[in-house]
Amino acid sequence: MDEVKIDDTVKAFYKTGTYIGKVKEDRGSKFLVEVLAVHTHPAQGDLHNPGQTEDVFFHQRKALAHHEKANVDKQAVHPYDDEIPDYMKSLEDSVQKYKKKLERRDTEFNQKALTRLQDLEKQYFK
């Protein structure tokens, strides 16, 4: 495994999304990562009860903002050697990819997640 250092460009899994960013600080068991692009949009819904819609709080999760910093577990941070995409383009691409995934199966869960995602689209791309 390649060793990640400060100022390295990385792909980092944080909560339910994956981001491309730059390591700003080593904080022991975590890296402080500055977000430069969205690789995978965060999942919608109750993560503790996946696929369920009844008797759960159905979360809406925004992607981390451009230049937002997050403390990411070191094991969830990996070197990234490709070109860093434009933040807004990467956000739009990640939303569209997630929407296509949700539209593949017509379930109550996917419909609720799609509604949350469409609301986020309105906020992101005003």
Side-chain angles (χ1 to χ4, degrees), residues 24-120:
K24 297 311 233 174
E25 292 178 22
D26 184 332
R27 295 187 166 178
S29 64
K30 298 180 184 287
F31 284 121
L32 182 67
V33 177
E34 178 182 6
V35 173
L36 301 175
V38 181
H39 184 270
T40 307
H41 194 279
Q44 306 301 300
D46 186 336
L47 303 181
H48 302 290
N49 298 288
Q52 294 185 21
T53 58
E54 291 186 31
D55 300 323
V56 297
F57 182 75
F58 206 91
H59 297 269
Q60 180 184 62
R61 290 184 184 77
K62 284 186 170 186
L64 295 177
H66 194 213
H67 298 295
E68 185 171 351
K69 294 172 184 71
N71 286 304
V72 183
D73 289 331
K74 284 185 175 178
Q75 65 266 24
V77 176
H78 306 284
Y80 182 81
D81 295 325
D82 292 336
E83 185 176 325
I84 300 170
D86 172 75
Y87 177 84
M88 287 306 289
K89 175 82 170 104
S90 71
L91 178 60
E92 187 175 349
D93 290 348
S94 71
V95 167
Q96 293 306 317
K97 185 177 177 183
Y98 189 28
K99 280 174 62 175
K100 284 181 183 172
K101 178 182 176 185
L102 293 170
E103 289 168 346
R104 280 189 216 134
R105 290 188 40 224
D106 187 20
T107 65
E108 186 178 356
F109 179 88
N110 284 5
Q111 288 173 1
K112 274 190 138 176
L114 192 55
T115 299
R116 297 293 191 282
L117 195 58
Q118 289 167 336
D119 182 54
L120 284 173

